[in-house]
Amino acid sequence: MVRNFYRQFFFLFALLLLWTSCSINPFSNNRNEELYGELGFKVLSSSQEKRPQWISHPHKYSEDKGRLYFSYEIDPKPTQAMACSMARAYIKQDLAQLVNLFFLKGYEDKAWHEEVFNLAYDHWQSFFQKAKLENTYWEKRLYPSFEEEGEQSSVCAIRVSVAESEFLSQVKALQRKVKSKIKKLQIRLPKNERVENIFDGEGFLLFYKMNY
C-alpha cells in the first residue's frame, strides 16, 4: 500500500516536472505561438509605433503626385545600422532590375537582348543613384532559436522617389543609347520592334500606377 502510494507520488511528481519544464521553455510550440504569433517573431522596438503602409504601397500613400515612389525592405540582418545601409544600397539594383524587366520582357530570345539589357541596367542603376530618400522604417525583432534568449535581428525598409518628368527624360535618353548600340551591333530591327515601342515610358507609368 505504502509502496503504491510512493510509486504514484513519484509518477505525479515526474509529470509535474515535465509540465513545468514545457511551460517555462520560451520556445516550446505553445509558447512560440504566444510570444511570436503568426509572423514567427516578436517586435522588440521600431522607429514608428505602427508599420507604415507605404512599405507595401509606396505610390498610393505618396505626398507628391508628380513623383514616382518606390520601396524596398531588406531581409533580417544582425544590426539595424547594417540593415538600413544595405537597404539603401540594394534598392538601386532592385529598381534597375524592375524597370529593365518591364521593358525587355518577351525579348529574351533576341540576338541583341543581353547587350541591350546590360546597357539599360547600367543606365537605370545610375539614374536611381540620385533618387531622393523619403522615408526609413526599421524593426528590431526577436526570432525563436535553440538558445533560450532567442535570436535578435533587424529589418529596414526605405522609400525613395524620382520626378516623373525626369524618369520620362531618362527613357528618351536610353532610347538614344540603345539605338546607337544596335547600330554598332549591325542589327536591323523589324518595324514592330522599334526602340520607342520597346522602351515605352508611358506604358511603364501606367503599369506603375496600377500596381504601386
Side-chain angles (χ1 to χ4, degrees):
M1 184 87 174
V2 174
R3 184 178 298 176
N4 288 338
F5 170 78
Y6 279 114
R7 185 178 297 169
Q8 291 176 3
F9 172 79
F10 282 118
F11 178 73
L12 291 173
F13 182 70
L15 284 178
L16 180 62
L17 284 177
L18 180 62
W19 176 83
T20 304
S21 64
C22 290
S23 62
I24 290 176
N25 180 4
F27 299 111
S28 66
N29 289 335
N30 292 336
R31 188 61 171 162
N32 271 348
E33 294 177 6
E34 180 183 337
L35 280 177
Y36 303 104
E38 294 180 359
L39 296 177
F41 59 82
K42 180 180 180 181
V43 177
L44 300 177
S45 59
S46 60
S47 56
Q48 295 179 33
E49 185 176 349
K50 292 184 178 180
R51 182 179 171 85
Q53 292 178 305
W54 56 256
I55 296 176
S56 301
H57 304 284
H59 184 70
K60 183 178 179 180
Y61 296 96
S62 60
E63 293 75 26
D64 185 346
K65 298 303 179 184
R67 300 184 70 81
L68 306 180
Y69 290 79
F70 302 91
S71 63
Y72 180 82
E73 184 172 23
I74 196 78
D75 292 334
K77 303 300 174 190
T79 67
Q80 178 247 316
M82 180 187 291
C84 290
S85 176
M86 293 181 72
R88 288 191 293 270
Y90 287 177
I91 191 170
K92 283 85 175 180
Q93 301 171 23
D94 187 70
L95 294 180
Q97 188 82 348
L98 167 72
V99 176
N100 235 15
L101 289 175
F102 173 83
F103 286 134
L104 294 172
K105 185 177 181 181
Y107 294 96
E108 293 84 357
D109 61 339
K110 302 300 179 182
W112 49 263
H113 178 267
E114 185 174 354
E115 293 271 0
V116 170
F117 186 96
N118 293 336
L119 172 69
Y121 180 82
D122 291 342
H123 178 86
W124 290 119
Q125 195 167 6
S126 176
F127 171 62
F128 284 117
Q129 288 282 351
K130 305 168 188 173
K132 179 183 176 183
L133 179 62
E134 296 283 355
N135 308 94
T136 301
Y137 172 78
W138 56 265
E139 288 180 356
K140 187 175 183 180
R141 297 174 177 176
L142 181 67
Y143 288 88
S145 74
F146 294 111
E147 301 176 5
E148 287 188 2
E149 66 271 17
E151 180 180 345
Q152 293 185 15
S153 300
S154 294
V155 295
C156 186
I158 64 171
R159 182 169 66 154
V160 300
S161 72
V162 295
E164 183 176 315
S165 58
E166 181 60 22
F167 175 82
L168 292 175
S169 295
Q170 289 298 318
V171 173
K172 292 184 182 297
L174 179 58
Q175 289 172 356
R176 292 190 291 271
K177 287 183 181 180
V178 171
K179 286 180 180 179
S180 176
K181 172 63 74 174
I182 287 178
K183 185 177 181 180
K184 186 180 291 187
L185 294 172
Q186 298 182 335
I187 293 175
R188 295 188 64 180
L189 297 179
K191 289 184 178 180
N192 63 336
E193 289 181 11
R194 292 178 64 242
V195 170
E196 290 82 1
N197 294 339
I198 297 171
F199 294 94
D200 177 12
E202 294 293 342
F204 178 83
L205 292 183
L206 181 62
F207 159 80
Y208 166 84
K209 291 175 181 178
M210 288 177 62
N211 292 279
Y212 288 80

